[in-house]
Amino acid sequence: MGRIVLDKVTKKFGHVEVIQPLDLTIEEGEFVVFVGPSGCGKSTLLRLIAGLEDVTSGEIYIDESKATELPPAQRKLAMVFQSYALYPHMSVRKNIAFPLKMAKMSQVEIDRRVNAAADVLSLTDYLDRRPAQLSGGQRQRVAIGRAIVREPSAFLFDEPLSNLDAALRVGMRLEISELHARLKTTMIYVTHDQVEAMTMADKIVVLQGGVIEQVGSPLELYRNPCNRFVAGFIGSPKMNFIEGDEAANYGAHTIGIRPEHIVVSESNGDWTGVISVSEHLGSDTFFHVHGTGLAETITVRADGEVAFKHGDTIHLSPRVEMIHKFDAKGLRV
Amino acid sequence: MARAVTFNRKTGNTILAWSIGLLIFFPILWTILTSFKTEGQAIADPPLFLMFDWTLENYAIVQERSDYLRFLTNSIIIAGGSTLLGIVVAVPAAWSMAFVPSKRTKDILLWMLSTKMLPAVGVLYPIYLIFIELGLLDTKIGLVVVLMLINLPIIVWMLYTYFREIPSEILEAARMDGASLRSEILYVLTPMAIPGIASTILLNFILAWNEAFWTLNLTAAKAAPLTAFIASYSSPEGLFYAKLSAASTMAIAPILILGWFSQKQLVRGLTFGAVK
Amino acid sequence: MMAPAVMLLLGWMLVPLIMTLYFSFKKYLPLRGGDLGWVGFDNYVRFVSSSSFWPSVSTTLIIVGGVLAITLILGTLLALLLDQPMWGQGMVRILVIAPFFVMPTVSALVWKNMFMDANYGLLSYLWEFFGAEPVQWMSQASLISIITIVSWQWLPFATLILLTAIQSLDHEQLEASEMDGATTLKRFWYIILPHLSRAITVVLLIQTIFLLSIFAEIFVTTAGAFGSKTLTYLIFQRVLESQNVGLGSAGGVYAIILANIVAIFLMRIVGQNLDK
């Protein structure tokens, strides 16, 4: 249960084509993350799957049956919204029970499922509170609770963590991953944060301008980005891009090298520059190097204990086997 | 040091604000006090502030002479009827404008407001004539309809701003949760809309209660509400301050109490969302 | 679902409006012969050239302008004060807002009799107490009296809206300007006042629309005597008292045009806000 297939799906708002003809298969039990910059169509795509928007053309299949025309409630999907979308006038218990009540389940069964969900999500003590009395993280859990009680074919998450502060976000990220490990239900997760994509996904779908740029596992995308956009989007800090003569030396229009694939030396190296900013994180150090003549700034990751500072001249050597080559169109060569 | 300065400033603010507040409130306070005096005490020189023989006789006289309860009933029926009728007409309109907006929604809303700007006196005679023709002059039903119409733009507008605050994600969540249109309205929308509807009712009841153009011009003896009842004191005979005060107190007391609950809605309702 | 509300308001607007336009081109005296035929623009010319027209225009301007000046200036000051830290803020706010909920006929009568009466009014005691000759308020200073009464009614509205606007000001902005060395006065001038400009405009426009058609306050105090006849009141007299419907209707058309000029500006502001 939970296999979703999109077949030549498109979506137009007026004359604007926000999703260009698109094929995608989401396998049963997969954790798929749609990632991309804002306006790339990732939320629209999710809403098309949910049935909250109608496709302009193409077909959507859920568990091998055509779902294109089905209303949202009959697609057996559950959704967690960015704003949580809890019903403010209902207690936590009633919020979680709402989809079951709509499905006309017996009260006994409703109670059993709500209590089980509350137990999984540590909400048991809060069942009689209203959403307004809960913290952001708790509200998020209620929204997830409302989704899991239905035992859906797949969960849809629309940027669920973007309203939480940084510390909570890391915690909830883990909880959602754990939940997936436990339930083994298909999850589709939309985010603009590549860290969330990398840490949670079995499969990442990178979108830009309504087009899928690349689909693959986190490490595939990291190792073999198929174009310059994906290369720049996946990985933090971002990949350095160098054009011109240096790139030509490698037989490419542009070369890309990740900060962690550059070796730093005091005395010799391929490139020379001056450190404008050094960020010491303890575990790692990031140098922003100017004056190499290759690009405005080259970012380099070094060991946490390296003692260079602002104004020092350093030498950089890229690990040649880690260099990504792109042609003039930005495609991988 | 800083704390001491703050404390002094706060004390100063408090004294100043309370003085001004009491000064502004004084005419109301004085009216209420005078209503408990005898007519002689009401015009005593120097004026009596609290040291007088408190009496309720004015209230009894006002009721007996001019049948206060009848005017009160008229006021309640007219203000309440026009408000409820307005809500019945406005809820579907505001609902569709908030949840199914079209390109014309904004224009329709603004046009509705513009009807509120129509000066009453400009259409006084036509309305008067229509009322005579239809036999509505000095009837409660006539006033209910007219006050409903003059407040309808405000009712639609207020409801629209409240409905628009209901996030669309909630409605989508309900759809995902399998709610039919009926359950969506019954279990999600209505409970969320009720506070807004209640506020709208409150403010418009107050506005209708205090309306004093159409109520004065379209009623005589039968359907006259409290505004007209008070206006009848404008050509008095003999000593009447205490009785005027008692009548006034009875006319404004219910609304003062309701009004205090509606401070926030007042801003929203009367500025059409232009001030937040 | 908008249809009922739209149809009702459309009817409410168009039917009387067309009738008023129709009458304005007729010689129409219901009590002296009824419909006496078409007269073209005669009524429009006569309304403007009658001896009462220009005085009524200036009276209207003085009352509207006076009330606007008083309520906006005092309202701003009062709103600033109420925004300060103090004890019993909520209670003071209630005291200040109360007059808005008093029905117009009550406030006009209470002021006229209990405060502004030359013999028994509290103001007369006050004047005598300081050795001054009591003023015959309603006859000698009718405009000042009416402006006072109406300002008392509308000051709460201005204060409440301006207070809401002040409270929406980001306090970090004020702190930033304090760090930048701005004095209290400069902070008011360069930060608070610009922030309030929108709210002030809204108050100005809404009050203008309501003030142009004040009626009860004049009806129960001077009944238009002693130079207190506004345009609205003049039209009312032409239509209902002297039953010269054609002439009054022409006046009504003028009033509608005047109100619409103000309304256009208000609509523009409200409309901008809708887009957000």
Side-chain angles (χ1 to χ4, degrees):
Chain A
M1 294 289 272
R3 185 167 191 271
I4 296 169
V5 177
L6 306 185
D7 181 19
K8 295 189 187 60
V9 164
T10 67
K11 177 66 185 174
K12 280 186 188 172
F13 289 122
H15 296 295
V16 189
E17 194 163 47
V18 288
I19 299 289
Q20 296 178 28
L22 177 151
D23 295 311
L24 180 68
T25 303
I26 293 160
E27 297 298 341
E28 193 180 327
E30 253 184 342
F31 196 121
V32 177
V33 174
F34 293 172
V35 68
S38 61
C40 70
K42 56 189 189 294
S43 281
T44 308
L45 193 56
L46 190 75
R47 293 166 61 83
L48 290 174
I49 297 172
L52 293 172
E53 305 278 356
D54 296 326
V55 296
T56 306
S57 68
E59 300 292 348
I60 295 173
Y61 299 90
I62 298 173
D63 293 331
E64 314 307 331
S65 64
K66 200 161 110 178
T68 320
E69 309 290 333
L70 284 184
Q74 289 172 26
R75 298 191 183 196
K76 293 189 186 154
L77 306 173
M79 184 149 165
V80 175
F81 291 84
Q82 182 173 6
S83 67
Y84 320 138
L86 301 180
Y87 309 118
H89 55 286
M90 297 183 195
S91 65
V92 169
R93 178 186 296 281
K94 288 196 168 151
N95 261 285
I96 298 178
F98 188 73
L100 306 179
K101 189 173 160 192
M102 290 302 105
K104 301 207 166 55
M105 232 170 241
S106 74
Q107 193 58 45
V108 181
E109 179 64 9
I110 291 179
D111 286 343
R112 192 188 65 73
R113 289 203 191 190
V114 170
N115 289 334
D119 193 38
V120 170
L121 295 162
S122 330
L123 284 170
T124 309
D125 295 340
Y126 304 101
L127 279 175
D128 294 319
R129 297 212 190 159
R130 292 273 174 103
Q133 297 166 296
L134 302 179
S135 69
Q138 288 164 342
R139 283 180 213 181
Q140 181 67 75
R141 282 206 197 86
V142 177
I144 294 174
R146 194 172 61 186
I148 62 177
V149 285
R150 295 177 56 194
E151 299 175 359
S153 303
F155 292 97
L156 311 179
F157 292 91
D158 188 7
E159 307 220 17
L161 305 185
S162 56
N163 285 342
L164 298 177
D165 63 42
L168 259 173
R169 214 173 321 178
V170 176
M172 283 309 296
R173 212 164 75 196
L174 288 173
E175 283 191 37
I176 294 174
S177 292
E178 272 174 31
L179 197 68
H180 180 244
R182 181 190 328 213
L183 299 174
K184 298 187 176 58
T185 310
T186 309
M187 292 189 175
I188 306 177
Y189 187 107
V190 165
T191 180
H192 60 268
D193 180 353
Q194 63 92 22
V195 176
E196 282 177 20
M198 292 294 282
T199 51
M200 302 169 89
D202 295 325
K203 182 155 96 186
I204 297 178
V205 178
V206 183
L207 287 145
Q208 191 196 203
V211 174
I212 294 183
E213 296 282 347
Q214 192 172 359
V215 180
S217 74
L219 282 179
E220 258 171 64
L221 296 192
Y222 177 81
R223 289 191 189 126
N224 302 310
C226 69
N227 60 32
R228 203 179 143 161
F229 175 78
V230 176
F233 197 81
I234 300 291
S236 174
K238 289 174 82 147
M239 184 183 280
N240 297 294
F241 290 107
I242 295 163
E243 295 177 359
D245 293 344
E246 185 66 22
N249 290 342
Y250 292 89
H253 176 270
T254 308
I255 53 168
I257 182 79
R258 296 193 185 277
E260 54 271 40
H261 297 147
I262 297 175
V263 179
V264 176
S265 159
E266 196 175 357
S267 50
N268 55 21
D270 296 358
W271 307 330
T272 307
V274 178
I275 297 174
S276 64
V277 180
S278 66
E279 300 172 311
H280 295 275
L281 301 182
S283 58
D284 303 293
T285 308
F286 293 109
F287 297 121
H288 299 271
V289 181
H290 281 190
T292 55
L294 301 166
E296 201 179 328
T297 309
I298 300 247
T299 308
V300 184
R301 189 195 74 96
D303 193 77
E305 303 299 328
V306 172
F308 297 114
K309 60 181 190 302
H310 165 77
D312 289 351
T313 299
I314 57 168
H315 301 275
L316 311 172
S317 310
R319 286 166 58 188
V320 177
E321 75 280 13
M322 292 298 182
I323 286 178
H324 302 267
K325 298 170 202 163
F326 304 101
D327 65 15
K329 284 181 185 161
L331 293 175
R332 181 179 191 86
V333 242
Chain B
M1 276 303 282
R3 269 193 71 134
V5 172
T6 312
F7 184 82
N8 283 342
R9 229 184 99 189
K10 197 170 171 183
T11 312
N13 288 339
T14 308
I15 293 170
L16 187 62
W18 274 91
S19 311
I20 295 175
L22 286 171
L23 188 70
I24 292 175
F25 189 70
F26 183 75
I28 297 172
L29 180 66
W30 188 247
T31 307
I32 296 170
L33 287 176
T34 305
S35 74
F36 294 109
K37 296 172 184 174
T38 62
E39 291 296 357
Q41 288 166 338
I43 54 165
D45 184 3
L48 299 166
F49 197 65
L50 289 171
M51 294 301 137
F52 55 84
D53 305 323
W54 293 67
T55 170
L56 285 171
E57 67 176 23
N58 298 306
Y59 288 91
I61 295 170
V62 167
Q63 162 59 19
E64 190 181 314
R65 266 202 212 158
S66 42
D67 199 1
Y68 165 80
L69 283 178
R70 186 164 54 87
F71 295 100
L72 177 73
T73 318
N74 285 347
S75 266
I76 292 173
I77 292 173
I78 291 168
S82 67
T83 304
L84 292 182
L85 194 59
I87 290 281
V88 169
V89 176
V91 165
W95 195 285
S96 64
M97 285 194 269
F99 295 124
V100 205
S102 71
K103 279 182 201 136
R104 288 176 311 159
T105 299
K106 185 183 152 186
D107 295 331
I108 291 175
L109 269 170
L110 288 180
W111 166 74
M112 282 188 170
L113 267 196
S114 74
T115 66
K116 177 74 191 158
M117 315 288 171
L118 199 65
V121 73
V123 294
L124 172 58
Y125 193 76
I127 298 297
Y128 188 74
L129 204 62
I130 293 170
F131 264 53
I132 292 175
E133 288 298 319
L134 299 178
L136 288 173
L137 211 57
D138 200 21
T139 62
K140 288 189 273 286
I141 181 73
L143 272 185
V144 165
V145 170
V146 165
L147 294 195
M148 184 271 277
L149 287 167
I150 65 165
N151 283 332
L152 192 56
I154 294 187
I155 300 180
V156 171
W157 192 272
M158 281 184 79
L159 289 175
Y160 170 75
T161 60
Y162 280 114
F163 289 167
R164 226 167 54 141
E165 278 172 16
I166 298 176
S168 58
E169 281 200 343
I170 296 249
L171 306 186
E172 292 178 346
R175 283 168 62 198
M176 292 294 295
D177 284 344
S180 61
L181 184 65
R182 193 180 142 274
S183 325
E184 193 179 317
I185 290 174
L186 199 63
Y187 297 114
V188 180
L189 280 176
T190 308
M192 290 182 72
I194 278 179
I197 294 178
S199 308
T200 308
I201 290 180
L202 186 61
L203 181 65
N204 281 280
F205 185 80
I206 294 170
L207 292 178
W209 184 277
N210 285 344
E211 205 286 328
F213 181 81
W214 296 112
T215 51
L216 291 181
N217 282 314
L218 296 179
T219 62
K222 268 181 16 239
L226 287 168
T227 42
F229 159 71
I230 296 295
S232 69
Y233 278 79
S234 59
S235 43
E237 292 152 20
L239 288 173
F240 76 114
Y241 282 13
K243 285 188 277 294
L244 168 66
S245 298
S248 298
T249 304
M250 287 196 281
I252 64 174
I255 235 57
L256 273 185
I257 295 164
L258 287 182
W260 287 337
F261 290 112
S262 73
Q263 293 177 41
K264 282 256 149 52
Q265 291 77 300
L266 189 72
V267 176
R268 184 196 287 255
L270 292 180
T271 63
F272 314 111
V275 173
K276 280 179 187 136
Chain C
M1 285 199 287
M2 287 186 297
V6 171
M7 298 309 281
L8 277 171
L9 280 176
L10 203 61
W12 167 247
M13 186 183 79
L14 284 183
V15 173
L17 205 61
I18 290 168
M19 286 171 77
T20 296
L21 274 173
Y22 172 82
F23 288 132
S24 73
F25 293 108
K26 291 228 147 180
K27 187 173 175 69
Y28 187 64
L29 304 163
L31 301 182
R32 286 160 284 161
D35 189 346
L36 301 175
W38 297 96
V39 291
F41 282 91
D42 201 27
N43 287 321
Y44 290 89
V45 177
R46 275 180 52 212
F47 189 85
V48 181
S49 55
S50 91
S51 62
S52 339
F53 176 70
W54 287 109
S56 81
V57 170
S58 74
T59 303
T60 308
L61 290 180
I62 291 169
I63 291 181
V64 172
V67 175
L68 282 178
I70 290 173
T71 52
L72 281 174
I73 293 170
L74 294 185
T76 307
L77 294 176
L78 205 51
L80 284 173
L81 177 64
L82 288 177
D83 189 42
Q84 303 294 316
M86 69 178 70
W87 286 283
Q89 202 161 24
M91 195 59 210
V92 176
R93 230 167 85 143
I94 285 172
L95 293 180
V96 171
I97 292 166
F100 190 77
F101 297 114
V102 176
M103 59 176 62
T105 45
V106 167
S107 51
L109 274 185
V110 164
W111 275 94
K112 177 193 178 188
N113 292 299
M114 290 164 58
F115 287 87
M116 292 173 165
D117 188 87
N119 298 318
Y120 304 115
L122 268 190
L123 291 180
S124 298
Y125 288 119
L126 203 63
W127 257 240
E128 276 171 3
F129 184 80
F130 288 107
E133 187 69 19
V135 184
Q136 302 277 343
W137 287 98
M138 286 304 156
S139 49
Q140 291 172 349
S142 58
L143 287 190
I144 292 177
S145 307
I146 290 171
I147 289 174
T148 307
I149 298 171
V150 178
S151 298
W152 180 74
Q153 288 179 295
W154 284 92
L155 179 61
F157 176 76
T159 307
L160 193 61
I161 286 173
L162 293 171
L163 181 61
T164 311
I166 287 179
Q167 284 169 343
S168 74
L169 175 63
D170 181 3
H171 274 254
E172 287 190 352
Q173 251 187 59
L174 285 179
E175 286 168 358
S177 65
E178 212 175 331
M179 299 292 288
D180 290 342
T183 59
T184 309
L185 205 63
K186 288 207 163 126
R187 285 209 298 275
F188 174 73
W189 194 252
Y190 290 110
I191 312 277
I192 298 177
L193 210 55
H195 176 77
L196 286 184
S197 61
R198 179 191 190 83
I200 289 176
T201 318
V202 171
V203 172
L204 189 91
L205 294 170
I206 292 176
Q207 282 201 21
T208 305
I209 286 163
F210 280 100
L211 294 177
L212 279 175
S213 52
I214 52 166
F215 174 76
E217 291 83 348
I218 298 172
F219 183 72
V220 298
T221 54
T222 61
F226 311 116
S228 66
K229 198 181 294 172
T230 59
L231 194 55
T232 297
Y233 209 84
L234 177 67
I235 299 167
F236 160 76
Q237 285 186 330
R238 289 277 187 270
V239 172
L240 279 198
E241 285 183 3
S242 48
Q243 293 268 325
N244 189 337
V245 174
L247 195 58
S249 296
V253 174
Y254 283 125
I256 291 168
I257 293 170
L258 188 64
N260 271 301
I261 293 171
V262 185
I264 285 171
F265 289 101
L266 180 63
M267 292 305 174
R268 200 170 280 173
I269 292 192
V270 171
Q272 281 166 4
N273 232 39
L274 258 187
D275 293 332
K276 283 190 201 152

